[in-house]
Amino acid sequence: MVDPTSDLGEDVTEETAPCCAACSEPIVNEPTHKVLTRIEDGSILTMHFCDTTCRAEWSE
């Protein structure tokens, strides 16, 4: 997976792009891309979403 701190518009293909946690679509050059980051059990957990709709629909 691509480093979540990098610019996702640079050299990202569908194979290396992060996938939306809600719909599983690869996120390539999406201006609506949302990222949720949290710490769980001492580890960083990062989840990517296509947009606010996918973020709102996602549930744990």
Side-chain angles (χ1 to χ4, degrees):
M1 184 176 115
V2 173
D3 176 358
T5 62
S6 69
D7 292 330
L8 289 176
E10 296 181 9
D11 299 327
V12 176
T13 64
E14 286 192 16
E15 292 81 28
T16 61
C19 292
C20 178
C23 71
S24 301
E25 290 294 318
I27 302 170
V28 180
N29 228 2
E30 295 289 335
T32 58
H33 179 205
K34 304 292 181 196
V35 179
L36 174 66
T37 304
R38 65 182 179 192
I39 297 177
E40 189 172 288
D41 296 328
S43 297
I44 298 172
L45 178 62
T46 305
M47 291 170 283
H48 296 263
F49 300 93
C50 297
D51 52 29
T52 53
T53 302
C54 278
R55 172 61 185 99
E57 291 176 357
W58 177 79
S59 64
E60 295 182 48

